[in-house]
Amino acid sequence: DAGVTQSPTHLIKTRGQQVTLRCSPKSGHDTVSWYQQALGQGPQFIFQYYEEEERQRGNFPDRFSGHQFPNYSSELNVNALLLGDSALYLCASSLLYEQYFGPGTRLTVT
Amino acid sequence: DAKTTQPPSMDCAEGRAANLPCNHSTISGNEYVYWYRQIHSQGPQYIIHGLKNNETNEMASLIITEDRKSSTLILPHATLRDTAVYYCIALPSVNTGTASKLTFGTGTRLQVTL
């Protein structure tokens, strides 16, 4: 059984560009959450998707948006990238209460 | 969600028990205590959770004080592979049937040494 997978592993973008990160949840999981982890900090909750709808959202600007597909996979989109968006982006899937995290996508904005 | 407080770092000799404390003095009656850990360059990993009774699984034991204001995660025989950042998180009841957002602090960096 594959765990949570994320792509790409690493990404380098320029300020002002847009980026899309992808996540495939663990088999049977219907909820996907996204987190941003800056260097030396704990992960910060961005938003959560369930039944293709955004169910919860953290304190992130509208530049951060997402989508969940019928197969429960998800995308995180970030527009107008800023240097401060450089971070590890983590996806977590869950069925009930336990969240399983993927390895993350390391985004560098130059 | 209740705020949790953890020491920034701890050391433990390999083979010894690692006892990681967490203070959650404002925890409410329906909030569980969850522990996750993050090994370098990996995503966080669920360890254990509990409400008021002590809990044990194949990874660790969780001891929660009777007043629920603090808890201790115990790794009974720490190995080098247990070197990681450990996060203590207070979460509302699991009985909602949905996964709550996790509010991570800065955690405790546990260094296991030979």
Side-chain angles (χ1 to χ4, degrees), chain B residues 46-92:
Chain B
Y46 165 82
I47 301 173
I48 197 167
H49 74 283
L51 184 62
K52 53 185 177 182
N53 298 320
N54 298 337
E55 302 287 344
T56 295
N57 62 19
E58 65 279 3
M59 288 183 68
S61 294
L62 175 60
I63 308 297
I64 303 174
T65 58
E66 192 168 342
D67 63 8
R68 299 205 337 114
K69 293 185 177 182
S70 66
S71 61
T72 301
L73 178 75
I74 301 173
L75 308 178
H77 304 287
T79 71
L80 296 178
R81 286 176 294 183
D82 293 320
T83 293
V85 178
Y86 287 77
Y87 298 98
C88 169
I89 302 168
L91 274 181

Side-chain angles (χ1 to χ4, degrees), chain B residues 1-110:
Chain B
D1 300 351
K3 178 179 168 58
T4 61
T5 304
Q6 301 176 250
S9 64
M10 294 183 64
D11 292 330
C12 179
E14 188 176 35
R16 304 296 295 269
N19 297 289
L20 293 96
C22 179
N23 180 288
H24 33 78
S25 58
T26 61
I27 197 169
S28 62
N30 71 340
E31 286 185 305
Y32 281 68
V33 178
Y34 275 72
W35 285 83
Y36 279 76
R37 75 179 181 182
Q38 188 172 22
I39 296 170
H40 184 61
S41 298
Q42 298 182 22
Q45 175 191 26
Y46 165 82
I47 301 173
I48 197 167
H49 74 283
L51 184 62
K52 53 185 177 182
N53 298 320
N54 298 337
E55 302 287 344
T56 295
N57 62 19
E58 65 279 3
M59 288 183 68
S61 294
L62 175 60
I63 308 297
I64 303 174
T65 58
E66 192 168 342
D67 63 8
R68 299 205 337 114
K69 293 185 177 182
S70 66
S71 61
T72 301
L73 178 75
I74 301 173
L75 308 178
H77 304 287
T79 71
L80 296 178
R81 286 176 294 183
D82 293 320
T83 293
V85 178
Y86 287 77
Y87 298 98
C88 169
I89 302 168
L91 274 181
S93 167
V94 298
N95 293 326
T96 61
T98 59
S100 298
K101 67 177 184 179
L102 298 175
T103 302
F104 291 85
T106 50
T108 296
R109 183 171 299 277
L110 175 68

Side-chain angles (χ1 to χ4, degrees), chain A residues 2-89:
Chain A
V4 178
T5 60
Q6 294 186 242
S7 63
T9 305
H10 296 88
L11 201 53
I12 299 175
K13 289 286 190 178
T14 303
R15 275 179 300 176
Q17 286 188 318
Q18 179 264 346
V19 69
T20 298
L21 310 181
R22 295 176 176 83
C23 171
S24 292
K26 189 174 169 64
S27 178
H29 287 190
D30 58 4
T31 302
V32 173
S33 302
W34 287 91
Y35 294 80
Q36 180 196 65
Q37 185 172 25
L39 203 61
Q41 302 296 316
Q44 300 299 306
F45 176 77
I46 303 174
F47 43 53
Q48 182 182 84
Y49 277 83
Y50 172 70
E51 291 188 344
E52 302 179 52
E53 296 285 333
E54 182 183 291
R55 182 165 63 181
Q56 298 185 71
R57 188 177 183 92
N59 188 25
F60 279 80
D62 292 343
R63 297 187 298 110
F64 290 76
S65 63
H67 188 77
Q68 185 179 35
F69 299 93
N71 66 353
Y72 306 127
S73 67
S74 177
E75 289 182 348
L76 164 66
N77 301 291
V78 187
N79 294 323
L81 284 167
L82 304 174
L83 294 179
D85 295 330
S86 294
L88 180 68
Y89 288 85

